[in-house]
Amino acid sequence: MTAIAVSNADFDTVVLQSDTPVLLDFWAPWCGPCVALAPALEQMATDRHDTLRVVKVNVDENQDLAAKFAVRGLVFHPQRRYRTRALRHGWSGQI
């Protein structure tokens, strides 16, 4: 299974009424880090299709959704987190 692209029309049905947890990705085609992250999200959608729904919202095409969730920018930066002596990589975005 791949990530699901949603629009204003089907957002409520696909995201808000989902029976499984949803990872929601606000992205834009001109955002280099967003495009770079896409393969990892696609892989996650495939690997965890039974326990997680990966949903993508193109902010250029769905400005109402971006405004509804107060998306102000698509800034992305890697962040490393240390827990119990094991290095874990995490990703943190600014919205």
Side-chain angles (χ1 to χ4, degrees), residues 7-25:
S7 65
N8 293 325
D10 59 353
F11 183 84
D12 288 347
T13 304
V14 174
V15 176
L16 300 180
Q17 296 175 10
S18 175
D19 292 333
T20 58
V22 173
L23 186 151
L24 187 58
D25 176 33

Side-chain angles (χ1 to χ4, degrees), residues 8-71:
N8 293 325
D10 59 353
F11 183 84
D12 288 347
T13 304
V14 174
V15 176
L16 300 180
Q17 296 175 10
S18 175
D19 292 333
T20 58
V22 173
L23 186 151
L24 187 58
D25 176 33
F26 288 96
W27 74 285
W30 48 262
C31 173
C34 299
V35 173
L37 184 61
L41 291 176
E42 289 292 336
Q43 187 64 47
M44 185 181 296
T46 300
D47 293 347
R48 300 187 180 205
H49 69 277
D50 53 342
T51 59
L52 179 70
R53 179 177 281 187
V54 178
V55 176
K56 298 176 73 70
V57 176
N58 183 329
V59 296
D60 288 341
E61 296 173 355
N62 301 286
Q63 294 179 1
D64 292 344
L65 284 175
K68 179 179 180 179
F69 290 96
V71 175

